[in-house]
Amino acid sequence: MKTATHWLDAIWLLLLLGTGYTWWLGESGHAGAGAVTAILAVALVKGVAVIREFMALRGVRLLWQGAVIGWLMVVLAVNLAAYWKGI
Amino acid sequence: MHAVADSIELSFPSSRRNPPGDVAMWVFILAELTVFGLLFMIYGVARMKHVALFNAMQLTLDRSAGAVNTVLLVTASWCVARAVASIREEASVASARWLAAGILAGLGFLAVKVGEYAAKFDAGINLDTNLFYMFYLSLTFFHFMHVILGLVILAYVWRKTRRGGYTAADHHGMETGASYWHMVDLVWIVLFPLVYVMR
């Protein structure tokens, strides 16, 4: 059980690191397609980590996992596509 | 790595095929995500049509406050996940403490957000200011209301946990409440980069 709680701690640290990186990209004035792709990729990694580990969807029917991870991917992909089109 | 993953797998009921908690809550979560997803996609299209306005207005947001709020929400989510892990070990006192910590982090989120709103309203900004602020205020306030509902649910779960209402064998209600809270966190994980950072 200790391993499970350590795993949750590791996920939390990953989320903090991702948040810090996203904040740094914004604060340091990074903009453009490369920065936006990185920002959305970090959001995808953070989102999947929350869905699988905190929401504990890892190990449940793929339909449930797919519905939530699919939601995340569609939302981020539409925003990335809209960004590219708007450049 | 496989050994670690296998041992972690042991902490979850291996026979579980449905998500943790009540399936009805998961239907509600999917409905909520659908609404937020539509709003986020409409935001992206609106931004595409008014790039200059959105980029200029985004610079007037307090990005650090947004980042602090992200830290508070992911921390709250972590605390709630640890609370569920604790109750699975029959450690209800520790579980209640983790829940209390999660609630405090959630209240911190609300305090920071109220500060942000106060600064904007003091500057004369409202829903009519422009399209960007219409989206910013609508999206963040809609999420704000979900944080409040999430905290009410967590407070109920915390109270019941303190009274010994959950055990390792029966903590379905805690998992249901935790799932809703993680949804609130997930939505903010998308909202923060879209509205505060992406330019």
Side-chain angles (χ1 to χ4, degrees):
Chain A
M1 192 49 109
K2 277 278 177 230
T3 316
T5 55
H6 288 160
W7 182 251
L8 292 175
D9 297 348
I11 296 298
W12 176 57
L13 286 176
L14 172 78
L15 294 171
L16 293 183
L17 282 173
T19 302
Y21 180 60
T22 302
W23 173 82
W24 175 78
L25 283 173
E27 283 296 294
S28 56
H30 282 80
V36 167
T37 304
I39 288 164
L40 295 183
V42 170
L44 177 65
V45 170
K46 287 169 67 182
V48 169
V50 167
I51 291 164
R52 283 174 60 83
E53 309 304 332
F54 285 180
M55 287 179 134
L57 287 188
R58 179 163 57 86
V60 306
R61 282 195 188 94
L62 279 178
L63 183 68
W64 286 107
Q65 279 195 66
V68 185
I69 293 177
W71 169 85
L72 178 66
M73 293 179 79
V74 168
V75 168
L76 295 178
V78 167
N79 271 277
L80 184 61
Y83 180 87
W84 277 89
K85 197 162 165 54
I87 292 176
Chain B
M1 188 66 185
H2 282 296
V4 171
D6 288 347
S7 61
I8 291 161
E9 205 63 57
L10 292 174
S11 66
F12 295 97
S14 58
S15 60
R16 192 186 68 215
R17 302 301 294 158
N18 283 328
D22 201 308
V23 172
M25 173 59 91
W26 279 92
V27 173
F28 183 58
I29 286 172
L30 290 180
E32 295 271 45
L33 287 177
T34 302
V35 174
F36 272 109
L38 286 171
L39 291 173
F40 288 151
M41 288 189 277
I42 293 168
Y43 173 86
V45 172
R47 184 190 176 284
M48 178 183 77
K49 293 176 185 266
H50 305 275
V51 174
L53 170 73
F54 276 56
N55 281 347
M57 289 298 105
Q58 191 193 63
L59 290 176
T60 64
L61 295 182
D62 186 344
R63 203 165 20 242
S64 295
V68 167
N69 262 349
T70 311
V71 168
L72 286 168
L73 273 196
V74 299
T75 299
S77 238
W78 168 62
C79 291
V80 170
R82 288 294 303 259
V84 174
S86 294
I87 204 69
R88 284 181 182 148
E89 292 181 310
E90 210 68 80
S92 59
V93 173
S95 182
R97 284 182 183 153
W98 280 111
L99 284 169
I103 290 167
L104 282 176
L107 288 172
F109 174 94
L110 293 182
V112 172
K113 206 81 206 84
V114 166
E116 271 190 271
Y117 285 145
K120 294 305 170 207
F121 294 149
D122 285 349
I125 289 167
N126 57 48
L127 283 170
D128 294 329
T129 299
N130 57 45
L131 188 63
F132 175 82
Y133 269 108
M134 190 276 286
F135 272 107
Y136 167 77
L137 291 171
S138 303
L139 282 172
T140 59
F141 189 71
F142 190 44
H143 178 265
F144 186 88
M145 297 305 289
H146 283 74
V147 175
I148 292 174
L149 176 58
L151 285 173
V152 169
I153 293 170
L154 287 186
Y156 171 81
V157 171
W158 171 70
R159 191 161 166 263
K160 188 169 173 180
T161 306
R162 286 195 71 196
R163 294 177 172 187
Y166 298 112
T167 62
D170 179 14
H171 53 276
H172 196 67
M174 185 187 287
E175 287 182 333
T176 301
S179 298
Y180 185 83
W181 182 260
H182 295 314
M183 182 275 290
V184 171
D185 178 31
L186 176 63
V187 168
W188 184 263
I189 280 174
V190 176
L191 193 156
F192 171 60
L194 287 192
V195 177
Y196 284 80
V197 187
M198 189 176 127
R199 52 185 290 103

